[in-house]
Amino acid sequence: MLIDALVISLIVALLRGGKLRGLADLPLRRIELIVLAFLIQFSLAWGGERGFVFFSKWGDYLYIGSYILLLIAIWYNRHIKEMIIFGIGVSINFLVILANGGQMPVSINALKRAGMMDVLPLLKSKTYVLHGLLNEGTRLKFLADIIPLPPPYPRPRVLSVGDIIMALGIFLLIQHSMVKGKGRRRKSN
């Protein structure tokens, strides 16, 4: 969902007359933590989909660690108000993941409504650690991946409230950074 939010945000900003150069002026700190967090999550998804046993043993810890890295990076960038919005979404997702043993629960009903039942075997797999199936023992169900984004959306998904808040933070950050006259100077402290 974050890639979708990023692409949509860039397109909207460009249509509004925004300049990519505005992104280079963002006073981001500790960007390496953000990059590392997303690399860890990408590796977990990639390796889990391919059945690497390593992920069934250490994946939950790596996933939680990636969220900790992200939260640290957000703390360093709290001077950017849109990063705080993004951080609220990250925190909500992290809370659900922690409450459910290191995985984001996914609703089977939402998967059906999004036309994504083909991912069910992956969610049942022991090597795919990012998501698990929502069940009667799931904690904080209302914050889990329960919101379907079905076709005609080109990339059907199942989202959480945290995902939507993170996407909003990304959207606002890109709009304020790229669109001339709207991208105000930001404090560096």
Side-chain angles (χ1 to χ4, degrees):
M1 177 61 194
L2 293 182
I3 292 173
D4 296 13
L6 180 65
V7 170
I8 291 167
S9 301
L10 288 169
I11 290 169
V12 169
L14 290 170
L15 290 174
R16 293 180 61 211
K19 304 289 182 212
L20 287 172
R21 181 182 43 170
L23 294 175
D25 295 335
L26 271 172
L28 286 174
R29 300 175 183 156
R30 304 304 309 257
I31 193 164
E32 71 277 5
L33 296 176
I34 297 169
V35 171
L36 182 58
F38 283 111
L39 283 175
I40 290 170
Q41 289 187 18
F42 174 80
S43 298
L44 289 170
W46 185 84
E49 289 171 0
R50 282 155 186 78
F52 292 151
V53 178
F54 171 81
F55 296 113
S56 61
K57 187 170 185 176
W58 299 103
D60 293 345
Y61 300 109
L62 290 168
Y63 194 34
I64 289 169
S66 73
Y67 267 89
I68 291 169
L69 290 173
L70 226 98
L71 289 170
I72 292 169
I74 290 164
W75 177 256
Y76 276 105
N77 289 289
R78 65 190 183 281
H79 59 281
I80 303 171
K81 75 176 182 180
E82 297 86 3
M83 193 63 94
I84 293 171
I85 296 168
F86 180 76
I88 291 169
V90 170
S91 298
I92 290 170
N93 280 353
F94 188 48
L95 179 65
V96 177
I97 290 166
L98 280 178
N100 290 286
Q103 291 186 323
M104 173 60 86
V106 180
S107 162
I108 291 177
N109 289 334
L111 285 173
K112 285 179 190 170
R113 291 177 55 203
M116 296 179 61
M117 290 303 288
D118 57 320
V119 301
L120 205 51
L122 182 63
L123 295 177
K124 291 179 179 179
S125 150
K126 297 283 186 216
T127 59
Y128 188 78
V129 297
L130 301 181
H131 298 88
L133 291 174
L134 191 142
N135 58 46
E136 59 280 342
T138 299
R139 294 183 181 112
L140 303 172
K141 291 178 185 180
F142 67 101
L143 295 175
D145 282 353
I146 59 169
I147 304 165
L149 189 57
Y153 188 74
R155 289 175 22 108
R157 294 277 172 256
V158 177
L159 310 172
S160 68
V161 170
D163 294 337
I164 293 169
I165 295 170
M166 287 190 302
L168 176 64
I170 288 172
F171 183 83
L172 293 174
L173 177 68
I174 289 174
Q175 298 311 302
H176 291 159
S177 300
M178 286 180 59
V179 179
K180 279 264 192 228
K182 306 253 191 303
R184 65 250 177 249
R185 286 191 176 256
R186 299 175 187 277
K187 291 186 230 175
S188 302
N189 16 342

